Amino acid sequence: MQNNVLILDFGSQYTQLIARRVRELNIYSEIKPYNNPPKDLSSYKAVILSGSPFSVRSDDAPHPDLSEIKGKKPLLGICYGAQYLSHFNGGNVAPSATREYGRANLSYIKPSEDFLSGLEEGSQVWMSHSDTIKQLPEGAVHLASTQDVENAAFRIEGEETYGIQFHPEVYHTTDGTKLLENFLVKIAGLSQDWTPDAFIETTIAELKEKIGDEKVILGLSGGVDSSVAAMLLHKAIGSHLHCIFVNNGLLRKNEFESVLDQYKHMGLNVKGVDASARFLEALKGESDPETKRKIIGRVFIEVFDDEAHKVENAKWLAQGTIYPDRIESVSASGGPSAVIKSHHNVGGLPDYMKLKIVEPLHLLFKDEVRRVGKNLDMDESILGRHPFPGPGLGIRILGDITAEKVSILQEVDAIFIDGLKKWGLYDKVWQAGAMLLPVNSVGVMGDERTYEKCVALRAVESTDGMTADWVNLPYEFLQKTSNDIINKVKGVNRVVYDISSKPPATIEWE
Ligand code: XMP
């Protein structure tokens, strides 16, 4: 990739947002940790320094060597990045008298500067810092201020080096995208050709070249990532792609049949394997959440492995891994990583399988995967699907799992999800599902006393599942759903709604 932006990460909570904003401009960008930068910088046409929770004045703050970058490539420092550029070039960074968080407005803008072109006096920006640049380094040209921050934007004379105290990547910075575009296109001369169609074309060509006439196996999950990965491979190598879709008996109601149908409709060479009985047998009597997860993971690999062996001459294993799964993150706390991602559906295949790995989506963010799927004419019912965990209903049935409990939860879940769709709420919710609780409670139906199961409904808003908030679903909807569940699902006499956010709760109950 020759038209590429390097984002050096200093541990800011907004670093991924910078990459996404750049990509929204149809310019490819990559995030690398400041302490492990790429050795070869030749493919990067511009560099952006992220913010950071550290103070530049602290000894353990990131202090990377920029001698191969500053003055040699267009360079933009954001927040900590700007302070870093000042501090180590003769400027003065000190604690601010007033901490500036949230909205501010730019003034003293120089409209004649390419960097600020299109921005107007008063333009809203987002600030989040406790240090401030008291004095700019020598050779710096002051470009903008806010009410509380004198040096809100500057450039270094004779270089394509810029610094801004605010965060252009945050939506509250009204002209943030414009500013990034000015820097990347007007100043750095990058072209805006990173589009879904261009990605599809180059990826298919690369996959053809890489795989040749060897065979690939891929585990489909029904989710967006594995489905889009399969479509790209299908376009590249056709029937040499062998997809396997395993029914672990813990899928949603009728999901195995309907998703399998959809895949076949898309022309995929897919084999559905119904291993429900094998999973249920292995899970029998087990109620510890982690052990249940491990059993489901192990049996999945066994089933997948059995099927993969039936494909003669398979040389590759395809995975739907996406970019956020691979970003090496910088930890603000000094620990190994700020983002802990422990969930994988197909991971850790036995060594003896000796398959080469191919990951067609490893460069994409989730929203880009959806855009690519759309341009591949994939159905909205696959692209707009809520995330669903690999262990499925197994981690939504608290305690031990039986076929009867699975069937009760499938009915409850179907009423809830169909209801969300009917009420036009499905696309407003990031993920939703029902949990079967290991408690019975007393109820009354007609004149009869009942002593039956309780279910919890959960619907959350989120962007990546790392944090989440419960959704304020309309009371009328909850009322109708609760009635439907209790009237239609035998064995359930009580419905509750989960109003916990993550953290401290998690999205799944197990
Ligand atoms: P938690 O419960 O950790 O879930 O807040 C965060 C997101 O991850 C999903 N999840 C999984 N996905 N395999 C998966 O593919 C898993 O083992 C797994 N466990 C949780 C969960 O549904 C939510 O979207």
Side-chain angles (χ1 to χ4, degrees), residues 195-202 372 375-376:
T195 59
D197 281 338
F199 171 83
I200 291 169
E201 198 181 313
T202 46
V372 165
N375 286 36
L376 286 167

Side-chain angles (χ1 to χ4, degrees), residues 283-359:
L283 285 163
K284 211 173 186 171
E286 186 54 62
S287 52
D288 175 65
E290 276 309 301
T291 316
K292 278 161 55 178
R293 276 175 176 278
K294 288 205 178 98
I295 293 172
I296 298 169
R298 171 177 57 75
V299 178
F300 179 84
I301 288 170
E302 286 168 12
V303 173
F304 190 79
D305 187 27
D306 286 353
E307 291 306 320
H309 271 99
K310 295 181 193 159
V311 180
E312 264 176 48
N313 261 330
K315 293 279 189 291
W316 296 84
L317 173 72
Q319 294 186 327
T321 319
I322 63 172
Y323 190 52
D325 300 339
R326 297 168 50 107
I327 297 174
E328 220 185 308
S329 52
V330 172
S331 164
S333 60
S337 165
V339 179
I340 297 151
K341 179 110 188 170
S342 55
H343 312 310
H344 284 285
N345 293 337
V346 186
L349 282 180
D351 281 350
Y352 61 80
M353 284 185 78
K354 299 265 181 293
L355 293 170
K356 298 178 270 187
I357 303 285
V358 56
E359 298 177 322

Side-chain angles (χ1 to χ4, degrees), residues 38 41 160 183 264 318 332 376 437 504:
L41 294 171
E160 287 169 325
F183 172 67
K264 290 194 171 147
L376 286 167
L437 308 187

